[in-house]
Amino acid sequence: QVQLVESGGGLVQPGGSLRLSCAASGIIFSIYDLGWYRQAPGKQRELVARITSGGTTNYADSVKGRFTISRDNAKNTVYLRMNSLKPGDTAVYHCSADLHGETTWGQGTQVTVSS
């Protein structure tokens, strides 16, 4: 069975950094497209970053230059490095694994940016 488990969230001050991790099991990790999404209270879920099985990346305009998505196929893990965090980045962050249009989701990790 497919399972995705996120970790690394927490409370940080504006301008701080976090690295989120998502560990996968039950899939041939290297052939999946991977993504990070976030959802804040009262708002729609939005794509933050994506990385394909071939290594191509895409980012939301709001995080370009601040966030970096990467993958380590040997560790079955995808990462999201978050720098220069703003209060508007506060949300639950979920990772996803996608193959042939079928998507599996992790349960999420909370990121709170506040003084």
Side-chain angles (χ1 to χ4, degrees):
Q1 60 191 29
V2 181
Q3 186 174 357
L4 303 175
V5 180
E6 300 98 334
S7 62
L11 173 65
V12 296
Q13 294 184 332
S17 298
L18 287 172
R19 188 183 71 164
L20 306 183
S21 300
C22 174
S25 61
I27 63 172
I28 304 174
F29 185 83
S30 62
I31 68 174
Y32 277 73
D33 296 336
L34 306 169
W36 286 97
Y37 293 75
R38 67 187 182 188
Q39 187 167 25
K43 297 183 67 177
Q44 291 286 120
R45 183 180 64 192
E46 65 173 341
L47 175 68
V48 176
R50 195 174 86 103
I51 184 166
T52 69
S53 60
T56 301
T57 59
N58 298 99
Y59 297 93
D61 288 342
S62 60
V63 307
K64 285 181 179 177
R66 300 189 297 121
F67 292 9
T68 303
I69 188 171
S70 61
R71 64 191 296 164
D72 188 337
N73 290 340
K75 297 183 183 297
N76 286 0
T77 301
V78 60
Y79 304 96
L80 185 69
R81 180 67 184 181
M82 310 164 70
N83 295 326
S84 302
L85 283 162
K86 305 174 181 179
D89 297 319
T90 296
V92 176
Y93 285 70
H94 297 262
C95 66
S96 67
D98 192 320
L99 182 65
H100 305 314
E102 294 193 6
T103 304
T104 299
W105 297 91
Q107 289 197 307
T109 185
Q110 176 71 46
V111 172
T112 302
V113 185
S114 176
S115 299

